[in-house]
Amino acid sequence: MNFFRKRYIKKASGRGTRAIAAILLLQVNLALAIAPAAAQQEPQTPAQPAQTVPETPAPATQSTTAAPPSLAQEMKQGQQPLFAPPQPFQVPMPHSHNPLAPYRPSTAPELDLSNSPRLQNLIREGKIYISLHDAIAVAIENNLDLAYFRYNFPIAQTDILRTKAGSPANGVNTAIVQGTQGGFAASSGGGGGSSGSGFSAGNGGIVTSTLGAGTSVSSFDPFLTFQGYVDHTVVQEANQFLNGVPVLKTNTIEVLSNYSQSFPIGTNVSVNYLGQRVTSNTPYNAINPTLYSNFAVTIQQPLLAGFGVATNERFIRIAKRNSQITDLAFKAQVIATVTQVENIYWDLVNAYESEQISERSLGFANKNLSDDQKQLELQAIPAMQVMTDQSAVATAEGNLTVARASLRLNELLMKNALTKVDDATIDEMPVIPLDLKADPDPNADKAIDELISEAEKKRPEVAIYQMQADVQKQALKDINSELLPTLNMYGYYAGAGTAGPTNPDCSLGAQECSTTLPTGFPSMFANTFNYSSPEYRVGMTLAINLRNRQAKADQFRAVLQYRQSQISSEQQQKGIRFDVRNSKFALEQRQANVDAAQKSRDLAQRTFDITKQEQVLGAKSGLDTLNAESALALAESALDAAQTAYEKAKVDIDRAIGETLERTGVSIDDAKSGVVTH
């Protein structure tokens, strides 16, 4: 009995010693944990996060010696241009010295839907290793949204060519194209214009604009018209005395040509020439056949409505403005596409990190299950503990399955944004992001007023609205010409020539059948232009619409639409200011979330380390360690999500102030050509 009592006391004293040692160790660890926590309470800037994340997928290493190059650096050094760069986008306006070229259809070069070789340069061992700048460069060369918008440049040039002929501009659709899936920002840019219900009160749902309205503009292209015919006429005469024959037969050959052209000042020039040869069986004609030609020049100049270069070249001015607006709209398109690609990239980083966390959690759960199964074999723990471990493994496997599915989706979105067409060789390739964090954004420390001032200078929408306002303002002057009466001055000059041989069948007297007219065509043609039979006239025409309601309504409507454009411009300015403020507040909020998540993750890491040490000492069970690891995984996931949101907030504030291209080093010339040379 005393033996068992001594043994029990000895075991109890051993347990007490281990418990005391565990408590002392816990206090020491807590004391050590307080010191770095207090050090971390010092103010930190957003550019210095509390945790340094190693570049993916290189493992984290801590060494006092020189750090080995990261995977991103190795890939950058190892990249060699394996393929030639693609051909730049170029669709010139058709031009030829061939006189038949204007009457033949033109065609544009065939589409190049092959992916750029730059994407192939990123593939190593069946995987796509891509950095943020690589993603942007490949997107500029391959993204279909940009490829679609590039055709607006030659479309704008066709409008200029069309308006140089005096025709109205068809306009260019400069709306931002976003046909790529994924990566859409939560906040939208501040555009102008009021939101409507989507209904139209026009004729058939079509509402026309008074932009470009005014007096009609004649074609500036010269027109040359030819008309000719051969005619044979037989007429039975009711009174033979009229033509001397019971049946009058006449053969006529006539050629008519006309040349007309208008000029920007409103002047119109028309030149006509008529040539005629008439034969007849009447004996009353002194000459047969009769040759006749007529030449006439008419010059007309409007003096009120339709007068002046400003009125007649308004379509050309609008088309050139549209071309300038297209350039600015393309910059907005590039900003939108680059922003979208950046958001897709950071979503990919988040999905990649989530998979890494899920894999680590599953590995720890499997190891904990294996250790507890060994403990169960020794009957050191209850069977319920192993069942709990098995449940944790099943949960970790489910989380990993979800994380991998999310990663596959984000890889698909990234490859979709970086390719023109599906490529079977890369459809199943994993995409490895090389940049886990972007450089610090200097906009985080700038005041809102400074950011708004930069946005009002750099946002392409500002210049677009300014140009549109200038066009609307000039349209008010152009349409005023339509209110004036029509007063045209014209001058007319004509010359005529007649010739023909003597009619051998002339039944008139000898005197009446004789003629002094020339007999041949050359003499007739010369008389047409030698001022031998001139006609000239100078006159004026005046047309007054006594009520002028249509022109007055159009002119007043133009004024009202200009007022609406002023409201839209103010809405656009307010929208930009709101957009900048919203992006600034979101950036500050995301930074605060990152700081809080970083502290939570550090605390969860310390808790896990202490719990694991206590498990070794016997003060904690495997279940406690498993719960601590689960809490650490949740904290790491929350930190990754907060970091991704913060990176996307930096992307959004760059977009809000118009600095996306500067921050990412994108050249607008490269974007236009579709070949990145920088």
Side-chain angles (χ1 to χ4, degrees), residues 320-340:
K320 290 182 177 180
R321 281 293 191 183
N322 288 344
S323 178
Q324 296 173 352
I325 291 175
T326 302
D327 288 339
L328 294 170
F330 181 71
K331 182 179 180 181
Q333 174 69 63
V334 177
I335 290 176
T337 301
V338 171
T339 299
Q340 187 178 6

Side-chain angles (χ1 to χ4, degrees), residues 513-551:
C513 289
S514 64
T515 178
T516 60
L517 294 174
T519 59
F521 179 82
S523 299
M524 176 212 66
F525 189 77
N527 289 339
T528 304
F529 297 96
N530 65 5
Y531 202 69
S532 60
S533 301
E535 178 187 1
Y536 41 83
R537 183 190 316 140
V538 176
M540 299 180 68
T541 60
L542 176 63
I544 302 176
N545 189 328
L546 297 181
R547 301 194 67 177
N548 211 23
R549 288 181 290 183
Q550 177 181 343

Side-chain angles (χ1 to χ4, degrees), residues 625-645:
T625 307
L626 185 62
N627 291 335
E629 195 280 333
S630 298
L632 175 60
L634 291 176
E636 288 179 340
S637 298
L639 176 60
D640 289 333
Q643 187 66 44
T644 299

Side-chain angles (χ1 to χ4, degrees), residues 268 270 297-301 489-493 536-539:
N268 177 266
S270 177
V297 178
T298 304
I299 300 177
Q300 181 171 288
Q301 174 63 53
M489 175 179 287
Y490 67 93
Y492 174 83
Y493 171 81
Y536 41 83
R537 183 190 316 140
V538 176

